[in-house]
Amino acid sequence: MNIRLFSYFVTLVIKSRMEYRGAFTIGVVGQVVGYAANYLVIWLLLQNFNTIQGWDWTEIAFLYSLNLLTYAIGASFTYTPMVGLDQIIVNGNFDMYLTKPLSPFLYFLANLFNIGYIAHILISSVVLIWSISQADITWTLYKAIYLLLAIISGSLLQAAGLIVIGSLSFIFLRVQYLFSIFFKLKEFIAYPISVYGTLLQIILTWIIPLAMINYYPSLYIFEDSLLTNKILGITALVIGPLSLYLAYRFWMYGANKYQGAGG
């Protein structure tokens, strides 16, 4: 399946969802309000402590928004298909994705694209732009390009995490608890990982590199003087594409081993 055909399938999914505009609008408003409450909690916390490990409200808002925006972009393509994959396999419905003259991976993602994440994108983009305008950042063309690449890489890394867990459905069938663990881990990057112990920082940087989504890119944009953080900021741009490629290969490995609902 090429990009043009993939886009066509996504467009069809969006049109089908927009047939129920009232329900869609209510869902978007509800999610915006929910995430606005999360921002409010962080803001109230900063009113009492002023800074967290030297990060003020605008910097924390940038950090949180970068996490939420990249998650929304990556999850719009991967959350619904990967979370539902175990049930699709059990019901025997996965076979339909293997009997078409299309890439089963891209067809699977396109067919279950979730436009509902537009709410996440809206609120995170607004707060991200606001935090950029308020934070003490010296912007250059190079830094603007870096931010764009960081958003792309972070989105790919978020998607890769969901794909890897979803792929385990081919082996263990039931993996919903792993998604719960994944989202619990993601809560740690809502704040600078420097507030945690060394062991957890190592895990979030090198083992499950969630800090590459927002923490190290933020340090790079805020011009942290530590050379290690600058190197990790550049590394963050590579981790996303590499993780997605490995996740894709793992998914295809599982799909090739798939032998049917009773396999």
Side-chain angles (χ1 to χ4, degrees):
M1 179 187 289
N2 56 36
I3 298 300
R4 183 177 179 181
L5 185 56
F6 180 81
S7 301
Y8 175 72
F9 272 102
V10 169
T11 301
L12 290 179
V13 172
I14 293 174
K15 287 182 178 179
S16 65
R17 286 292 305 273
M18 295 307 293
E19 288 294 324
Y20 304 95
R21 296 183 181 180
F24 174 76
T25 302
I26 291 174
V28 168
V29 172
Q31 290 185 39
V32 168
V33 171
Y35 278 101
N38 290 343
Y39 279 109
L40 178 61
V41 169
I42 297 174
W43 180 79
L44 290 173
L45 180 65
L46 267 297
Q47 297 309 299
N48 291 326
F49 297 99
N50 295 321
T51 64
I52 298 178
Q53 284 291 108
W55 292 60
D56 61 22
W57 159 235
T58 56
E59 292 169 333
I60 295 290
F62 180 90
L63 183 78
Y64 186 84
S65 297
L66 191 56
N67 177 28
L68 181 58
L69 177 59
T70 54
Y71 168 71
I73 296 172
S76 61
F77 292 96
T78 58
Y79 177 82
T80 300
M82 295 307 156
V83 170
L85 181 56
D86 57 356
Q87 193 60 47
I88 290 172
I89 292 174
V90 170
N91 292 341
N93 294 328
F94 185 71
D95 297 67
M96 64 175 282
Y97 297 102
L98 301 177
T99 56
K100 302 289 191 300
L102 305 167
S103 164
F105 180 74
L106 292 179
Y107 179 41
F108 185 55
L109 297 189
N111 194 53
L112 295 173
F113 175 79
N114 189 345
I115 192 179
Y117 280 98
I118 189 67
H120 300 63
I121 293 174
L122 286 174
I123 188 169
S124 60
S125 296
V126 169
V127 180
L128 185 68
I129 293 171
W130 172 83
S131 62
I132 287 173
S133 68
Q134 297 298 313
D136 184 19
I137 303 174
T138 302
W139 284 100
T140 62
L141 178 60
Y142 170 79
K143 192 172 289 187
I145 293 173
Y146 175 87
L147 177 58
L148 176 61
L149 293 177
I151 291 173
I152 294 173
S153 182
S155 301
L156 297 179
L157 183 53
Q158 300 263 18
L162 294 172
I163 292 170
V164 167
I165 297 174
S167 301
L168 293 173
S169 299
F170 293 115
I171 303 172
F172 303 111
L173 288 185
R174 299 298 187 183
V175 295
Q176 294 300 313
Y177 65 97
L178 293 178
F179 284 105
S180 299
I181 295 174
F182 176 71
F183 287 116
K184 287 295 182 181
L185 282 173
K186 270 175 46 63
E187 291 179 3
F188 286 107
I189 62 171
Y191 301 96
I193 66 168
S194 55
V195 304
Y196 309 121
T198 302
L199 178 60
L200 187 53
Q201 290 186 44
I202 291 174
I203 292 173
L204 293 175
T205 300
W206 299 110
I207 301 176
I208 307 175
L210 296 176
M212 297 292 182
I213 293 171
N214 62 343
Y215 178 67
Y216 292 111
S218 295
L219 287 179
Y220 192 88
I221 289 174
F222 295 145
E223 298 182 353
D224 186 89
S225 59
L226 191 62
L227 178 60
T228 302
N229 289 335
K230 291 182 179 179
I231 294 173
L232 289 173
I234 294 297
T235 303
L237 302 184
V238 180
I239 290 295
L242 177 61
S243 297
L244 183 65
Y245 173 74
L246 294 176
Y248 163 72
R249 298 305 305 173
F250 185 51
W251 192 93
M252 289 302 298
Y253 171 81
N256 290 332
K257 293 293 183 180
Y258 172 76
Q259 297 179 353

